[in-house]
Coordinates of all heavy atoms in Angstrom, one line a residue:
M543 N 196.1 60.9 153.0 CA 196.1 62.3 153.4 C 195.1 63.1 152.6 O 195.2 63.1 151.4 CB 197.5 62.9 153.2 CG 197.7 64.3 153.7 SD 199.4 64.7 153.6 CE 199.4 66.0 154.6
F544 N 194.2 63.7 153.3 CA 193.1 64.4 152.6 C 193.4 65.9 152.6 O 194.2 66.4 153.4 CB 191.8 64.2 153.3 CG 191.3 62.8 153.1 CD1 191.4 61.9 154.2 CD2 190.8 62.3 151.9 CE1 190.9 60.6 154.1 CE2 190.3 61.0 151.8 CZ 190.4 60.2 152.9
W545 N 192.8 66.7 151.7 CA 193.0 68.1 151.6 C 192.5 68.8 152.9 O 193.0 69.9 153.2 CB 192.3 68.7 150.4 CG 190.8 68.6 150.4 CD1 190.1 67.5 149.9 CD2 189.9 69.5 150.9 NE1 188.8 67.8 150.1 CE2 188.6 69.0 150.7 CE3 190.0 70.8 151.5 CZ2 187.5 69.7 151.1 CZ3 188.9 71.4 151.9 CH2 187.6 70.9 151.7
R546 N 191.6 68.2 153.6 CA 191.1 68.8 154.9 C 192.2 68.8 155.9 O 192.2 69.7 156.8 CB 189.9 68.1 155.4 CG 188.7 68.3 154.5 CD 187.5 67.6 155.1 NE 186.3 67.8 154.2 CZ 185.4 66.9 153.9 NH1 185.5 65.7 154.5 NH2 184.5 67.2 153.1
D547 N 193.1 67.8 155.9 CA 194.2 67.7 156.9 C 195.2 68.8 156.5 O 195.9 69.3 157.5 CB 194.8 66.3 156.8 CG 193.8 65.2 157.2 OD1 192.9 65.6 158.0 OD2 194.0 64.1 156.8
V548 N 195.4 69.1 155.3 CA 196.4 70.0 154.9 C 195.9 71.4 155.0 O 196.7 72.3 155.5 CB 196.9 69.7 153.4 CG1 197.9 70.8 152.9 CG2 197.4 68.3 153.3
L549 N 194.7 71.7 154.6 CA 194.2 73.0 154.6 C 192.9 73.1 155.4 O 191.8 72.8 154.9 CB 193.9 73.4 153.1 CG 193.5 74.9 152.8 CD1 194.6 75.8 153.2 CD2 193.1 75.0 151.4
P550 N 193.0 73.5 156.7 CA 191.8 73.5 157.6 C 191.0 74.8 157.4 O 190.8 75.5 158.3 CB 192.5 73.4 158.9 CG 193.8 74.1 158.8 CD 194.2 73.8 157.4
V551 N 190.6 75.0 156.2 CA 189.8 76.2 155.9 C 188.4 75.8 155.3 O 188.4 74.9 154.5 CB 190.5 77.1 154.8 CG1 189.6 78.3 154.5 CG2 191.8 77.6 155.4
S552 N 187.4 76.3 155.9 CA 186.0 76.0 155.4 C 185.6 76.9 154.3 O 186.3 78.0 154.1 CB 185.0 75.9 156.5 OG 184.8 77.3 156.9
V553 N 184.5 76.6 153.7 CA 184.0 77.5 152.6 C 183.6 78.8 153.2 O 183.7 79.8 152.6 CB 182.8 76.8 151.9 CG1 182.2 77.7 150.9 CG2 183.3 75.5 151.2
F554 N 183.0 78.8 154.4 CA 182.6 80.0 155.1 C 183.7 80.9 155.4 O 183.6 82.1 155.5 CB 181.8 79.7 156.3 CG 180.4 79.2 156.0 CD1 180.1 77.9 156.1 CD2 179.4 80.1 155.4 CE1 178.8 77.4 155.8 CE2 178.2 79.6 155.1 CZ 177.9 78.3 155.3
D555 N 184.9 80.4 155.6 CA 186.1 81.3 155.9 C 186.5 82.0 154.6 O 187.0 83.2 154.7 CB 187.3 80.4 156.3 CG 187.1 79.8 157.7 OD1 186.2 80.3 158.5 OD2 187.7 78.7 158.0
L556 N 186.2 81.5 153.5 CA 186.6 82.2 152.2 C 185.4 83.0 151.6 O 185.5 83.5 150.6 CB 187.0 81.1 151.2 CG 188.3 80.4 151.6 CD1 188.5 79.3 150.5 CD2 189.5 81.3 151.7
Q557 N 184.3 83.1 152.4 CA 183.1 83.8 151.9 C 183.4 85.3 151.5 O 183.0 85.7 150.4 CB 182.0 83.7 152.9 CG 180.7 84.3 152.4 CD 179.6 84.2 153.4 OE1 179.8 83.7 154.5 NE2 178.4 84.5 153.0
P558 N 184.1 86.1 152.3 CA 184.4 87.4 151.9 C 185.2 87.5 150.6 O 184.9 88.4 149.8 CB 185.2 88.0 153.1 CG 184.9 87.2 154.2 CD 184.6 85.8 153.7
F559 N 186.1 86.6 150.4 CA 186.9 86.6 149.2 C 186.0 86.3 148.0 O 186.0 86.9 146.9 CB 188.1 85.6 149.2 CG 188.7 85.4 147.9 CD1 189.5 86.4 147.4 CD2 188.5 84.3 147.2 CE1 190.1 86.2 146.1 CE2 189.1 84.1 146.0 CZ 189.9 85.0 145.5
F560 N 185.2 85.3 148.1 CA 184.3 84.8 147.0 C 183.3 85.9 146.7 O 183.0 86.2 145.5 CB 183.6 83.5 147.3 CG 184.5 82.3 147.3 CD1 184.3 81.3 148.2 CD2 185.5 82.2 146.3 CE1 185.1 80.2 148.1 CE2 186.3 81.1 146.3 CZ 186.1 80.1 147.2
L561 N 182.8 86.6 147.7 CA 181.7 87.6 147.4 C 182.4 88.9 146.9 O 181.7 89.8 146.4 CB 180.9 87.9 148.7 CG 180.0 86.7 149.1 CD1 179.2 87.0 150.4 CD2 179.1 86.3 148.0
S562 N 183.7 89.1 147.1 CA 184.3 90.2 146.5 C 184.5 90.1 145.0 O 185.0 91.1 144.4 CB 185.7 90.5 147.2 OG 186.6 89.4 146.9
I563 N 184.2 89.0 144.5 CA 184.3 88.8 143.0 C 183.3 89.7 142.3 O 183.7 90.2 141.2 CB 184.1 87.3 142.6 CG1 185.2 86.4 143.2 CG2 183.9 87.1 141.1 CD1 185.0 84.9 143.0
A564 N 182.1 89.9 142.9 CA 181.1 90.8 142.2 C 181.6 92.2 142.0 O 181.6 92.7 140.9 CB 179.8 90.7 143.0
P565 N 182.1 92.9 143.0 CA 182.5 94.3 142.8 C 183.8 94.4 141.9 O 183.9 95.3 141.1 CB 182.8 94.9 144.2 CG 182.6 93.8 145.2 CD 182.0 92.6 144.5
M566 N 184.6 93.4 142.0 CA 185.8 93.4 141.1 C 185.4 93.2 139.7 O 185.9 93.8 138.8 CB 186.8 92.3 141.5 CG 187.5 92.6 142.8 SD 188.9 91.4 143.2 CE 188.1 89.8 143.2
S567 N 184.4 92.4 139.5 CA 183.9 92.2 138.1 C 183.2 93.4 137.5 O 183.3 93.7 136.4 CB 182.9 91.0 138.1 OG 183.5 89.8 138.4
V568 N 182.5 94.1 138.4 CA 181.9 95.4 138.0 C 182.9 96.4 137.6 O 182.8 97.1 136.6 CB 180.9 95.9 139.0 CG1 180.4 97.3 138.7 CG2 179.7 95.0 139.2
A569 N 184.0 96.5 138.4 CA 185.1 97.4 138.1 C 185.8 97.0 136.8 O 186.1 97.9 136.0 CB 186.1 97.5 139.3
L570 N 186.0 95.8 136.6 CA 186.6 95.3 135.4 C 185.7 95.6 134.2 O 186.2 96.0 133.1 CB 186.9 93.8 135.5 CG 187.5 93.2 134.3 CD1 188.9 93.8 134.0 CD2 187.6 91.7 134.4
M571 N 184.4 95.5 134.4 CA 183.4 95.8 133.3 C 183.5 97.3 132.9 O 183.5 97.6 131.8 CB 182.0 95.4 133.7 CG 180.9 95.9 132.7 SD 180.9 94.9 131.2 CE 180.0 93.5 131.8
L572 N 183.6 98.1 133.9 CA 183.7 99.6 133.6 C 185.0 99.9 132.9 O 185.0 100.7 132.0 CB 183.5 100.4 134.9 CG 182.2 100.3 135.6 CD1 182.3 101.0 137.0 CD2 181.1 101.0 134.7
Y573 N 186.0 99.3 133.4 CA 187.3 99.5 132.7 C 187.3 99.0 131.3 O 187.7 99.7 130.3 CB 188.5 98.8 133.5 CG 189.8 98.9 132.8 CD1 190.5 100.1 132.8 CD2 190.3 97.8 132.1 CE1 191.8 100.1 132.2 CE2 191.5 97.8 131.5 CZ 192.2 99.0 131.5 OH 193.4 99.1 130.8
A574 N 186.7 97.8 131.1 CA 186.7 97.2 129.8 C 185.8 98.0 128.8 O 186.2 98.1 127.6 CB 186.2 95.7 129.9
L575 N 184.7 98.5 129.3 CA 183.8 99.3 128.4 C 184.5 100.6 128.1 O 184.3 101.1 126.9 CB 182.5 99.5 129.1 CG 181.6 98.3 129.2 CD1 180.3 98.6 130.0 CD2 181.2 97.7 127.8
H576 N 185.2 101.2 129.0 CA 185.9 102.4 128.7 C 187.0 102.2 127.7 O 187.2 103.1 126.8 CB 186.5 103.0 130.0 CG 187.2 104.3 129.8 ND1 186.5 105.5 129.5 CD2 188.5 104.6 129.9 CE1 187.4 106.4 129.4 NE2 188.6 105.9 129.6
R577 N 187.7 101.1 127.8 CA 188.8 100.9 126.8 C 188.4 100.1 125.6 O 189.2 99.8 124.7 CB 190.0 100.1 127.6 CG 190.6 100.8 128.7 CD 191.4 101.9 128.2 NE 192.1 102.6 129.3 CZ 192.8 103.6 129.2 NH1 193.0 104.2 128.0 NH2 193.4 104.1 130.3
K578 N 187.1 99.7 125.6 CA 186.6 98.9 124.4 C 187.3 97.6 124.2 O 187.7 97.3 123.1 CB 186.6 99.8 123.2 CG 185.7 101.0 123.3 CD 185.7 101.8 122.1 CE 184.8 103.0 122.3 NZ 185.1 104.1 121.5
K579 N 187.5 96.9 125.3 CA 188.1 95.5 125.3 C 187.1 94.5 125.4 O 186.5 94.2 126.5 CB 189.2 95.4 126.4 CG 190.2 96.5 126.5 CD 191.3 96.2 125.5 CE 192.4 97.3 125.7 NZ 193.5 97.1 124.8
R580 N 186.8 93.8 124.3 CA 185.7 92.8 124.3 C 186.1 91.6 125.2 O 185.2 91.0 125.8 CB 185.4 92.4 122.9 CG 184.8 93.5 122.1 CD 184.5 93.1 120.7 NE 183.3 92.3 120.7 CZ 182.8 91.7 119.6 NH1 183.5 91.7 118.5 NH2 181.7 91.1 119.6
G581 N 187.3 91.2 125.2 CA 187.7 90.0 126.0 C 187.5 90.2 127.4 O 187.1 89.4 128.2
L582 N 187.9 91.5 127.9 CA 187.7 91.8 129.3 C 186.2 91.9 129.7 O 185.8 91.6 130.8 CB 188.4 93.1 129.7 CG 189.9 93.0 129.7 CD1 190.5 94.4 130.0 CD2 190.4 92.0 130.7
V583 N 185.4 92.3 128.8 CA 184.0 92.4 129.0 C 183.4 91.0 129.2 O 182.7 90.7 130.2 CB 183.2 93.1 127.9 CG1 181.7 92.9 128.0 CG2 183.6 94.6 127.8
K584 N 183.8 90.1 128.4 CA 183.4 88.7 128.6 C 183.9 88.1 129.9 O 183.2 87.3 130.6 CB 183.9 87.8 127.4 CG 183.2 88.2 126.1 CD 183.8 87.4 124.9 CE 183.1 87.8 123.6 NZ 183.7 87.1 122.5
L585 N 185.1 88.4 130.2 CA 185.7 87.9 131.5 C 184.9 88.5 132.7 O 184.6 87.7 133.7 CB 187.2 88.3 131.6 CG 187.9 87.8 132.9 CD1 188.0 86.3 132.9 CD2 189.3 88.4 132.9
S586 N 184.6 89.8 132.6 CA 183.8 90.4 133.7 C 182.4 89.8 133.8 O 181.9 89.6 134.9 CB 183.8 91.9 133.6 OG 183.0 92.2 132.5
L587 N 181.8 89.5 132.7 CA 180.5 88.8 132.7 C 180.6 87.5 133.3 O 179.7 87.0 134.1 CB 179.9 88.8 131.3 CG 179.4 90.1 130.8 CD1 178.9 89.9 129.3 CD2 178.2 90.6 131.6
A588 N 181.6 86.7 133.0 CA 181.8 85.4 133.6 C 182.0 85.5 135.1 O 181.5 84.7 135.9 CB 183.0 84.7 133.0
G589 N 182.7 86.5 135.5 CA 182.9 86.8 137.0 C 181.6 87.1 137.7 O 181.4 86.7 138.8
M590 N 180.8 87.9 137.0 CA 179.5 88.2 137.6 C 178.6 87.0 137.7 O 177.9 86.8 138.7 CB 178.8 89.3 136.8 CG 179.4 90.7 136.9 SD 178.5 91.9 136.0 CE 179.8 93.1 135.7
L591 N 178.6 86.1 136.7 CA 177.8 84.9 136.8 C 178.3 84.0 137.9 O 177.5 83.4 138.6 CB 177.9 84.2 135.4 CG 177.0 84.8 134.3 CD1 177.3 84.1 133.0 CD2 175.6 84.7 134.7
L592 N 179.7 83.9 138.0 CA 180.2 83.1 139.1 C 179.8 83.7 140.5 O 179.5 82.9 141.4 CB 181.8 83.1 139.0 CG 182.5 82.4 140.1 CD1 182.2 80.9 140.1 CD2 184.0 82.6 140.0
A593 N 179.8 85.0 140.6 CA 179.4 85.7 141.9 C 177.9 85.4 142.2 O 177.6 85.1 143.4 CB 179.6 87.2 141.8
V594 N 177.1 85.4 141.2 CA 175.7 85.1 141.4 C 175.5 83.6 141.8 O 174.7 83.3 142.7 CB 174.8 85.4 140.1 CG1 173.4 84.8 140.2 CG2 174.8 86.9 139.9
F595 N 176.2 82.8 141.2 CA 176.2 81.3 141.5 C 176.6 81.1 143.0 O 176.0 80.4 143.7 CB 177.1 80.5 140.5 CG 177.1 79.1 140.8 CD1 176.0 78.3 140.6 CD2 178.3 78.5 141.3 CE1 176.1 76.9 140.8 CE2 178.3 77.1 141.5 CZ 177.2 76.4 141.3
L596 N 177.8 81.7 143.4 CA 178.3 81.6 144.7 C 177.3 82.2 145.7 O 177.1 81.6 146.8 CB 179.6 82.2 144.8 CG 180.8 81.5 144.1 CD1 182.0 82.3 144.2 CD2 181.0 80.1 144.7
L597 N 176.7 83.3 145.4 CA 175.7 83.9 146.3 C 174.5 82.9 146.5 O 174.0 82.8 147.7 CB 175.2 85.2 145.8 CG 174.3 86.0 146.6 CD1 175.0 86.4 148.0 CD2 173.8 87.3 145.9
G598 N 174.1 82.3 145.5 CA 173.0 81.3 145.6 C 173.4 80.2 146.5 O 172.6 79.7 147.3
I599 N 174.6 79.7 146.4 CA 175.1 78.6 147.2 C 175.2 79.0 148.7 O 174.7 78.3 149.5 CB 176.5 78.1 146.7 CG1 176.4 77.4 145.4 CG2 177.2 77.2 147.8 CD1 177.7 77.0 144.8
Y600 N 175.7 80.2 148.9 CA 175.7 80.7 150.3 C 174.4 80.9 150.9 O 174.1 80.6 152.1 CB 176.6 82.0 150.4 CG 178.1 81.7 150.4 CD1 178.8 82.2 149.4 CD2 178.7 80.9 151.3 CE1 180.2 82.0 149.3 CE2 180.0 80.7 151.3 CZ 180.8 81.2 150.3 OH 182.1 81.0 150.2
Q601 N 173.4 81.4 150.1 CA 172.0 81.5 150.6 C 171.4 80.2 151.0 O 170.8 80.0 152.0 CB 171.2 82.3 149.6 CG 171.5 83.7 149.5 CD 171.2 84.5 150.8 OE1 170.2 84.2 151.4 NE2 172.1 85.3 151.2
Y602 N 171.7 79.2 150.1 CA 171.2 77.8 150.4 C 171.8 77.3 151.7 O 171.1 76.7 152.5 CB 171.5 76.9 149.2 CG 171.1 75.5 149.5 CD1 169.8 75.1 149.4 CD2 172.1 74.5 149.7 CE1 169.4 73.8 149.7 CE2 171.7 73.2 150.0 CZ 170.4 72.8 150.0 OH 170.1 71.5 150.2
L603 N 173.1 77.4 151.8 CA 173.8 76.9 153.0 C 173.3 77.6 154.3 O 173.1 77.0 155.3 CB 175.3 77.0 152.9 CG 176.0 76.1 151.9 CD1 177.4 76.5 151.8 CD2 175.8 74.7 152.3
D604 N 173.0 78.9 154.2 CA 172.5 79.6 155.3 C 171.1 79.2 155.6 O 170.7 79.0 156.8 CB 172.5 81.1 155.0 CG 172.3 82.0 156.2 OD1 173.0 81.7 157.2 OD2 171.6 83.0 156.1
Y605 N 170.3 78.9 154.6 CA 168.9 78.4 154.9 C 169.0 77.0 155.5 O 168.2 76.7 156.4 CB 168.2 78.3 153.5 CG 166.9 77.6 153.7 CD1 165.8 78.2 154.3 CD2 166.7 76.3 153.2 CE1 164.6 77.5 154.4 CE2 165.5 75.6 153.3 CZ 164.4 76.2 153.9 OH 163.3 75.6 154.0
K606 N 169.9 76.2 155.1 CA 170.1 74.8 155.7 C 170.4 74.9 157.2 O 169.9 74.2 158.1 CB 171.1 74.0 155.0 CG 170.7 73.6 153.6 CD 169.3 72.8 153.6 CE 169.5 71.4 154.1 NZ 168.2 70.7 154.1
H607 N 171.3 75.9 157.6 CA 171.7 76.1 159.0 C 170.5 76.6 159.7 O 170.2 76.1 160.9 CB 172.8 77.1 159.1 CG 174.2 76.6 158.7 ND1 174.8 75.6 159.4 CD2 175.0 76.9 157.7 CE1 176.0 75.3 158.9 NE2 176.1 76.1 157.8
L608 N 169.7 77.5 159.2 CA 168.5 78.0 159.8 C 167.5 76.8 160.0 O 166.9 76.7 161.1 CB 167.8 79.0 159.0 CG 166.4 79.5 159.4 CD1 166.5 80.3 160.7 CD2 165.8 80.4 158.3
E609 N 167.3 76.0 159.0 CA 166.4 74.8 159.1 C 166.9 73.9 160.2 O 166.1 73.4 161.0 CB 166.3 74.1 157.8 CG 165.3 73.0 157.8 CD 165.3 72.3 156.4 OE1 166.1 72.7 155.5 OE2 164.5 71.4 156.3
D610 N 168.2 73.6 160.3 CA 168.7 72.7 161.3 C 168.5 73.3 162.7 O 168.1 72.5 163.7 CB 170.2 72.4 161.1 CG 170.5 71.6 159.9 OD1 169.5 71.0 159.4 OD2 171.6 71.7 159.3
C611 N 168.7 74.6 162.9 CA 168.4 75.2 164.2 C 167.0 75.1 164.6 O 166.6 74.9 165.7 CB 168.9 76.6 164.2 SG 170.7 76.8 164.1
M612 N 166.1 75.4 163.6 CA 164.7 75.3 163.9 C 164.2 74.0 164.3 O 163.3 73.8 165.2 CB 163.9 75.9 162.7 CG 164.1 77.4 162.6 SD 163.1 78.0 161.2 CE 161.5 77.9 161.7
R613 N 164.8 72.9 163.7 CA 164.5 71.6 164.1 C 164.9 71.2 165.5 O 164.2 70.4 166.2 CB 165.1 70.6 163.2 CG 164.4 70.5 161.8 CD 165.0 69.4 161.0 NE 164.4 69.4 159.7 CZ 164.9 68.9 158.6 NH1 166.1 68.3 158.7 NH2 164.2 69.0 157.5
Q614 N 165.9 71.9 166.0 CA 166.4 71.7 167.4 C 165.7 72.7 168.4 O 166.1 72.8 169.5 CB 167.9 71.9 167.5 CG 168.7 70.9 166.6 CD 170.1 71.3 166.5 OE1 170.6 72.3 167.2 NE2 170.9 70.6 165.8
H615 N 164.8 73.5 167.9 CA 164.0 74.5 168.6 C 165.0 75.5 169.2 O 164.9 75.9 170.4 CB 163.2 73.9 169.8 CG 162.2 72.9 169.3 ND1 161.1 73.2 168.6 CD2 162.2 71.5 169.4 CE1 160.4 72.2 168.2 NE2 161.0 71.1 168.7
E616 N 165.9 76.0 168.4 CA 166.9 77.0 168.7 C 166.8 78.1 167.7 O 166.1 78.0 166.7 CB 168.3 76.4 168.8 CG 168.5 75.3 169.8 CD 169.8 74.7 169.8 OE1 170.6 75.0 168.9 OE2 170.1 73.9 170.7
V617 N 167.5 79.2 168.0 CA 167.5 80.4 167.1 C 168.8 80.4 166.4 O 169.9 80.1 167.0 CB 167.3 81.7 168.0 CG1 167.4 82.9 167.1 CG2 166.0 81.6 168.7
Y618 N 168.8 80.7 165.1 CA 170.0 80.8 164.3 C 170.6 82.1 164.4 O 170.0 83.1 164.2 CB 169.6 80.4 162.9 CG 170.8 80.4 161.9 CD1 171.9 79.7 162.1 CD2 170.8 81.3 160.8 CE1 173.0 79.7 161.3 CE2 171.9 81.3 160.0 CZ 173.0 80.6 160.2 OH 174.0 80.6 159.3
N619 N 171.9 82.2 164.6 CA 172.7 83.4 164.6 C 173.5 83.4 163.3 O 174.6 82.7 163.3 CB 173.6 83.5 165.8 CG 174.3 84.8 165.9 OD1 174.2 85.6 165.0 ND2 175.1 85.0 167.0
P620 N 173.2 84.2 162.3 CA 173.9 84.1 161.0 C 175.3 84.7 161.1 O 176.1 84.3 160.3 CB 173.0 84.9 160.1 CG 172.2 85.8 160.9 CD 172.0 85.1 162.2
L621 N 175.5 85.6 162.0 CA 176.9 86.2 162.1 C 177.9 85.2 162.6 O 179.1 85.2 162.2 CB 176.9 87.4 163.0 CG 176.0 88.6 162.4 CD1 176.0 89.7 163.4 CD2 176.5 89.0 161.1
Q622 N 177.5 84.3 163.5 CA 178.4 83.3 164.1 C 178.2 82.0 163.5 O 178.9 81.0 163.8 CB 178.2 83.2 165.6 CG 178.6 84.5 166.3 CD 178.4 84.3 167.8 OE1 177.7 83.4 168.3 NE2 178.9 85.3 168.6
Q623 N 177.1 81.8 162.6 CA 176.8 80.6 162.0 C 176.6 79.5 163.0 O 177.2 78.4 162.9 CB 177.8 80.2 160.9 CG 177.8 81.3 159.8 CD 179.0 81.0 158.9 OE1 179.8 80.2 159.1 NE2 179.0 81.8 157.8
S624 N 175.9 79.8 164.0 CA 175.6 78.8 165.1 C 174.2 78.9 165.6 O 173.5 79.9 165.4 CB 176.7 79.0 166.2 OG 176.5 80.2 166.8
C625 N 173.8 77.9 166.4 CA 172.5 77.9 167.0 C 172.6 78.4 168.4 O 173.5 78.1 169.1 CB 171.9 76.5 167.0 SG 171.7 75.8 165.3
I626 N 171.6 79.2 168.8 CA 171.5 79.7 170.2 C 170.2 79.2 170.8 O 169.2 79.3 170.2 CB 171.5 81.3 170.2 CG1 172.7 81.8 169.5 CG2 171.4 81.8 171.6 CD1 172.6 83.3 169.3
K627 N 170.4 78.6 172.0 CA 169.2 78.1 172.7 C 168.8 79.0 173.8 O 169.7 79.4 174.7 CB 169.5 76.7 173.3 CG 168.3 76.1 173.9 CD 168.6 74.6 174.2 CE 167.3 74.0 174.6 NZ 167.2 72.6 174.5
F628 N 167.6 79.5 173.8 CA 167.0 80.3 174.8 C 166.2 79.5 175.8 O 165.5 78.6 175.4 CB 166.2 81.5 174.3 CG 167.0 82.5 173.5 CD1 166.8 82.6 172.1 CD2 167.9 83.3 174.1 CE1 167.5 83.6 171.4 CE2 168.6 84.2 173.4 CZ 168.4 84.4 172.1
N629 N 166.3 79.8 177.1 CA 165.5 79.0 178.0 C 164.2 79.8 178.4 O 164.1 80.8 178.4 CB 166.3 78.8 179.3 CG 167.5 77.8 179.0 OD1 167.3 76.9 178.2 ND2 168.5 78.0 179.7

């Protein structure tokens, strides 16, 4: 039994959650700087680094989808993450 059978969720389904890490980290940074909490500042910086890393991964995956569509002579629709063929 694989995890795909148990949890039929793709990485793209969780994209809004993963990309919401950046604004939450900024809010945590503002709170931590106001309260002078060094541990929270470090945690918020780690969250920002994670958000940048995830954004890079999503940009790469989006580029790969674009490249696959162009090889098939189709147009890539990023909102639906699918290829569209025009006649």
Side-chain angles (χ1 to χ4, degrees):
M543 182 173 198
F544 294 104
W545 63 271
R546 290 181 184 144
D547 298 332
V548 177
L549 188 65
V551 176
S552 72
V553 175
F554 286 108
D555 294 335
L556 298 175
Q557 184 176 10
F559 170 73
F560 287 142
L561 293 181
S562 68
I563 293 173
M566 288 189 303
S567 296
V568 170
L570 181 62
M571 172 72 83
L572 291 173
Y573 174 77
L575 289 174
H576 181 69
R577 297 290 183 185
K578 298 179 182 156
K579 304 280 185 179
R580 293 178 81 188
L582 287 179
V583 170
K584 291 177 184 178
L585 181 66
S586 66
L587 286 173
M590 287 182 205
L591 285 174
L592 177 66
V594 167
F595 179 71
L596 289 172
L597 183 62
I599 289 173
Y600 282 118
Q601 287 297 317
Y602 174 75
L603 291 174
D604 197 44
Y605 172 74
K606 292 304 284 179
H607 286 294
L608 172 69
E609 185 180 2
D610 292 340
C611 290
M612 289 180 69
R613 285 185 182 159
Q614 299 170 4
H615 301 291
E616 297 177 350
V617 178
Y618 176 60
N619 184 357
L621 298 176
Q622 295 178 349
Q623 297 170 351
S624 63
C625 299
I626 301 171
K627 186 167 186 161
F628 291 114
N629 292 328

